[in-house]
Amino acid sequence: MELPFAESYKIKMVEPIQRSHRHEREQWIKEAHYNLFNLRSDQVFVDLLTDSGTGAMSDRQWSEMMLGDESYAGASSYYKMKNAIADITGFEFFLPTHQGRAAENVLFSAMVKEGDLVPGNSHFDTTKGHIEFRKATAVDCTIDEAFDTTLDHPFKGNIDLEKLENVFKKYPVEKIPMVIITITCNTSGGQPVSMQNIREVSALSHRYGVKVVFDSARFAENAYFIKKREPAYAEISIRKIVREMFSYGDAMTMSSKKDAIVNMGGFIGFREEELFQKASVFNIMFEGFITYGGMSGRDMNALAQGLYEGTEFDYLETRISQVAYLGKLLKDAGVPVQYPFGGHAIFVDAKRFLPHLPKEQYIAQSLAVELYLEGGVRGVEIGTIMADRDPVTRENRYPNLEMVRLAIPRRTYTNNHMAYVAASLINVWERRSEIRTGFRIVKEAPILRHFTVGLEKI
Ligand SMILES: *Cc1c(COP(=O)(O)O)cnc(C)c1O
């Protein structure tokens, strides 16, 4: 018999979680104004809101915490992080930041100005937020295949070179400070970008004199997919693939709460000293001195260790197999999910799940609320609420895809939890025709409204 795959770790410490009753959840979600961000974590049984900062650190990472050097300047922890970043990514210059959006804030302060255009593959919400906050425009150049959830395409995160070149041709290069390649591409369903696409985007951008910046939160998962799906890389190690990917970029921003498997932390990597120097000024203003930038020494140590663990093949195989396990349970039951399955999450296609709901009633949000009511499972809407209003017209933006994202924290839940989640969602699927109405917004913030929005049942 062929030996089955099993987790590349065993469990040393556990954290209790509680089940609840449907009538309790009905009360709680109402009190939360039907916004899953407003729930208390103890009102949730399986929390798939995000994979950000919610993973389990290893015994080695916890040991590193004890060795943290909390010196204000020049801490050994800074050098540990610097060496790990140079080793794993190849970027010689770096700035620590407290998380990914802080890295964006610092880098964009140095690079993006009013009226600029920033093309890329379906920019992440905070990335887009930081671009639009500066009165610049994010231009989505993702390939069209990404927006058909039924289509089997190995690299749905890819950038369409023609769309990208059209931006370069249409606008003066001084208005295009960078191209952002998000690896993996969260907004299109945790979908990877191929090495070939990265290489071509980089060559094209550099030909026009435009810098390439990686939004790298899930770079290791992207490398895993390249190894699995791009034939030339089948025999190449994850670490080598990672080094090659980053070799095509001029800088990177990182939310270490994802593939560096820490609860908090981030950084910016730079190829050239000049841009590093320019960004350092903003780092000191917004984050902290350049050798800690919003992080404690112990966190920098855990992050450095996490970069190594997050780029181990067996770890990645464990993680991505678990995501695929959930995906397969759903797909086999006929639940419409983005296919192929993403690296960190399963994306449920809410428009195909609830085709009778009008888009004005927030289809994906309605489904996310139903899933919570059914099993105490918390996912997140990636749809009209998150897409926010157009900054100029203030009209709702209706994205191509209305999704509920079920993000799997790293090394946290077992496959039994995945089976529980699948059963909950399949129950909703079976009674989908009874879900007749959605929601209306009663309260919203001017930017990134999804975090604080208040809703009312129609
Ligand atoms: C999480 C994430 C960010 C923002 O990072 P935070 O640590 O949440 O501030 C930016 N880009 C991508 C692709 C992400 O996944």
Side-chain angles (χ1 to χ4, degrees):
M1 194 198 297
E2 195 187 331
L3 296 180
F5 185 76
E7 286 75 8
S8 65
Y9 47 79
K10 57 181 179 172
I11 295 164
K12 187 171 329 210
M13 192 186 279
V14 296
E15 176 183 341
I17 49 177
Q18 285 93 34
R19 287 183 294 173
S20 56
H21 296 286
R22 188 182 168 108
H23 65 88
E24 294 174 303
R25 295 193 287 274
E26 278 168 0
Q27 185 61 28
W28 294 334
I29 192 70
K30 191 167 170 223
E31 285 165 7
H33 302 287
Y34 300 97
N35 178 347
L36 294 142
F37 285 98
N38 287 339
L39 289 171
R40 295 160 47 128
S41 65
D42 58 9
Q43 296 169 336
V44 175
F45 182 49
V46 181
D47 202 349
L48 306 186
L49 182 72
T50 177
D51 62 323
S52 180
T54 50
M57 290 211 296
S58 68
D59 52 357
R60 272 144 235 226
Q61 285 180 290
W62 281 107
S63 319
E64 282 297 329
M65 299 280 278
M66 287 296 171
L67 300 172
D69 175 357
E70 305 302 341
S71 305
Y72 192 96
S76 67
S77 300
Y78 166 77
Y79 289 101
K80 206 173 249 178
M81 187 163 154
K82 182 175 169 57
N83 289 338
I85 291 170
D87 190 19
I88 299 281
T89 71
F91 285 109
E92 294 292 336
F93 299 95
F94 102 100
L95 287 169
T97 63
H98 77 275
Q99 61 185 92
R101 70 198 68 185
E104 291 162 356
N105 188 29
V106 168
L107 184 67
F108 295 178
S109 294
M111 292 182 79
V112 180
K113 56 186 190 320
E114 185 171 341
D116 280 355
L117 294 115
V118 184
N121 52 339
S122 299
H123 309 63
F124 187 72
D125 59 347
T126 62
T127 316
K128 196 169 183 171
H130 273 295
I131 291 167
E132 292 178 349
F133 185 71
R134 288 171 172 77
K135 297 192 162 55
T137 309
V139 187
D140 188 1
C141 298
T142 314
I143 56 169
D144 291 333
E145 289 91 329
F147 304 107
D148 180 350
T149 56
T150 61
L151 201 76
D152 194 358
H153 184 291
F155 293 104
K156 283 184 170 175
N158 280 358
I159 290 180
D160 186 322
L161 294 166
E162 213 178 293
K163 289 187 194 171
L164 181 62
E165 188 156 18
N166 283 343
V167 179
F168 292 158
K169 281 183 180 152
K170 201 164 158 200
Y171 301 96
V173 58
E174 307 79 60
K175 283 202 164 301
I176 311 171
M178 64 178 92
V179 171
I180 295 181
I181 310 179
T182 309
I183 48 176
T184 58
C185 187
N186 183 33
T187 316
S188 75
Q191 299 292 320
V193 183
S194 72
M195 190 73 90
Q196 185 186 339
N197 190 247
I198 293 174
R199 199 183 296 126
E200 288 171 354
V201 167
S202 170
L204 179 67
S205 307
H206 288 154
R207 187 144 33 87
Y208 280 87
V210 176
K211 284 192 162 45
V212 173
V213 174
F214 285 103
D215 183 356
S216 332
R218 301 182 184 83
F219 72 95
E221 292 171 9
N222 200 84
Y224 175 88
F225 283 121
I226 287 176
K227 185 176 172 70
K228 286 280 176 171
R229 297 181 186 169
E230 209 165 339
Y233 291 89
E235 301 301 323
I236 313 284
S237 74
I238 295 288
R239 298 257 167 83
K240 274 216 173 100
I241 293 173
V242 167
R243 282 294 286 262
E244 184 180 337
M245 281 180 344
F246 284 127
S247 74
Y248 299 117
D250 302 284
M252 65 179 285
T253 56
M254 177 72 186
S255 169
S256 306
K257 303 167 72 170
K258 322 287 176 38
D259 275 0
I261 329 177
V262 287
N263 302 120
M264 193 51 77
F267 62 87
I268 313 167
F270 305 88
R271 184 87 48 220
E272 294 154 16
E273 189 169 3
E274 194 189 328
L275 186 55
F276 161 76
Q277 294 291 1
K278 204 171 161 199
S280 294
V281 179
F282 297 102
N283 214 65
I284 292 170
M285 263 189 348
F286 299 146
E287 291 294 296
F289 183 58
I290 59 170
T291 66
Y292 72 87
M295 293 187 71
S296 53
R298 51 185 176 270
D299 285 336
M300 290 195 279
N301 271 18
L303 197 166
Q305 173 64 22
L307 281 175
Y308 286 102
E309 292 178 14
T311 49
E312 279 169 9
F313 178 81
D314 279 359
Y315 153 74
L316 286 164
E317 182 106 319
T318 298
R319 163 155 184 71
I320 292 173
S321 302
Q322 184 175 51
V323 175
Y325 173 72
L326 173 60
K328 188 168 183 311
L329 290 175
L330 294 171
K331 191 163 184 279
D332 288 351
V335 178
V337 290
Q338 166 75 296
Y339 193 79
F341 307 131
H344 67 294
I346 294 300
F347 287 69
V348 186
D349 187 336
K351 276 196 208 163
R352 281 165 55 218
F353 200 114
L354 299 172
H356 49 280
L357 274 197
K359 64 183 193 302
E360 292 78 11
Q361 296 187 14
Y362 308 109
I363 308 165
Q365 182 67 18
S366 305
L367 180 56
V369 169
E370 287 297 331
L371 176 61
Y372 173 71
L373 288 172
E374 180 66 31
V377 176
R378 175 158 68 170
V380 72
E381 188 246 30
I382 304 214
T384 303
I385 295 180
M386 184 182 270
D388 225 323
R389 289 178 188 278
D390 184 287
V392 181
T393 67
R394 303 305 298 156
E395 292 296 320
N396 267 329
R397 287 188 283 210
Y398 293 100
N400 291 326
L401 291 177
E402 283 275 348
M403 309 265 234
V404 175
R405 186 187 73 176
L406 305 172
I408 320 288
R410 293 165 182 77
R411 308 189 287 210
T412 302
Y413 291 112
T414 67
N415 281 8
N416 280 338
H417 292 112
M418 298 302 114
Y420 176 93
V421 171
S424 303
L425 192 57
I426 291 165
N427 284 351
V428 179
W429 173 244
E430 281 167 359
R431 62 173 171 80
R432 63 191 180 280
S433 62
E434 295 158 29
I435 302 163
R436 309 281 350 154
T437 53
F439 292 91
R440 74 169 71 88
I441 290 182
V442 289
K443 168 182 139 258
E444 69 179 281
I447 198 163
L448 294 175
R449 65 178 176 180
H450 53 288
F451 289 118
T452 53
V453 72
L455 299 158
E456 167 180 281
K457 240 183 144 41
I458 291 178

